[in-house]
Amino acid sequence: MLGRIFTEQFAFSASDSVVVIGLGRFGGAVAQSLVRLGHDVMGIDQKEEIVQVWADRLTHAVQADSTNENVMLQLGVADFSHAIVGIGSDLSACLMTLMVLTELGIKDIWVKAMTPEHGAIAQRIGAHHVIYPEADMGARVAHLITGRLIDFIEFEDGFGIAKIQAPPETHHHTLAESHVRSRFGVTVVGVKRANEDFQHALPATRILPADLLIVSGPTRKIEVFAAGEKKSKRS
């Protein structure tokens, strides 16, 4: 799930090459998801047994010391478009690897951080993006457990996209008639009806009780809309 969350939120261009350093639970899942999306992926890990596991799954899998700049140069890491550091258990190795990537001039570096302090140090050293996968997964699961959201992705600044059951106030009305955007502050992006293909939502789209809606907007407003909490006024 962690790898899927990352690749859903942070999609790269189809032709981009990615080096993933640290093929543990998170790094391995991200690397495999990126391969499925058509990217060339080099995986690097210090442990031979882990590299052997991934050898047939990635474009390249290499046993190497990612804290050694000369080794990384020889592997051609400087030529990659993106680097993802998934080393979570060894803070020193993570930060030293980040320093090497910065020296190599990688223009897009992602670092998995275990704590806010870890993330802050990584950003000071040169990380362009810091991710907290365990925290992200925790928030996602919490939203799903409530039963209001069937699926959920939260981006930066509290903005999210969710799949929800059509709330009662939308039933048998077009989106224009139910004033979803002005009343709830969210946008219905698409509609999925049983035995029919997904369709993009338009003002004239009529919603039926069994429909699934794809909704975007501020997370809290999506939750309110999904719960069917009524708004007394229309703006």
Side-chain angles (χ1 to χ4, degrees):
M1 178 181 279
L2 290 174
R4 187 164 68 91
I5 292 172
F6 178 86
T7 50
E8 284 173 346
Q9 293 191 34
F10 308 110
F12 301 140
S13 299
S15 60
D16 287 352
S17 58
V18 186
V19 57
V20 179
I21 303 168
L23 295 174
R25 186 165 62 100
F26 172 74
V30 169
Q32 191 167 37
S33 294
L34 289 168
V35 168
R36 288 198 200 101
L37 293 172
H39 299 281
D40 288 330
V41 177
M42 174 187 282
I44 298 175
D45 200 285
Q46 279 193 312
K47 296 181 179 178
E48 181 180 0
E49 61 272 23
I50 291 179
V51 171
Q52 289 177 349
V53 169
W54 291 101
D56 295 330
R57 305 184 193 181
L58 308 181
T59 312
H60 305 284
V62 182
Q63 179 190 4
D65 179 4
S66 61
T67 67
N68 187 314
E69 185 175 347
N70 289 330
V71 170
M72 299 288 269
L73 272 171
Q74 291 172 10
L75 291 175
V77 170
D79 297 328
F80 281 77
S81 304
H82 310 274
I84 300 167
V85 183
I87 303 170
S89 58
D90 189 336
L91 177 60
S92 176
C94 173
L95 297 179
M96 290 178 67
T97 295
L98 172 58
M99 291 175 66
V100 168
L101 295 173
T102 302
E103 288 296 320
L104 293 179
I106 305 295
K107 299 188 183 301
D108 190 38
I109 304 172
W110 302 72
V111 174
K112 170 190 172 181
M114 304 302 294
T115 65
E117 293 78 13
H118 181 180
I121 295 170
Q123 286 183 312
R124 288 177 193 150
I125 291 176
H128 303 101
H129 311 275
V130 175
I131 53 175
Y132 301 89
E134 281 81 4
D136 290 345
M137 185 174 70
R140 183 188 180 101
V141 171
H143 284 295
L144 301 182
I145 286 174
T146 64
R148 297 178 180 179
L149 309 184
I150 298 170
D151 204 354
F152 173 77
I153 303 171
E154 188 169 30
F155 299 89
E156 296 178 0
D157 302 324
F159 184 88
I161 296 177
K163 178 165 66 174
I164 68 172
Q165 193 73 43
E169 287 198 326
T170 65
H171 295 175
H172 305 295
H173 296 291
T174 66
L175 292 174
E177 292 169 345
S178 55
H179 300 276
V180 170
R181 184 177 298 178
S182 61
R183 296 176 71 190
F184 293 92
V186 301
T187 300
V188 178
V189 178
V191 179
K192 179 67 174 70
R193 190 160 292 162
N195 302 318
E196 294 186 14
D197 293 334
F198 171 90
Q199 59 177 304
H200 292 288
L202 301 171
T205 301
R206 188 170 297 276
I207 306 301
L208 300 181
D211 287 348
L212 297 178
L213 308 183
I214 307 299
V215 182
S216 66
T219 301
R220 178 55 189 156
K221 292 185 178 182
I222 292 176
E223 292 170 339
V224 170
F225 178 56
E229 298 176 22
K230 296 184 178 180
K231 299 289 182 181
S232 59
K233 295 182 180 180
R234 294 182 181 182
S235 56

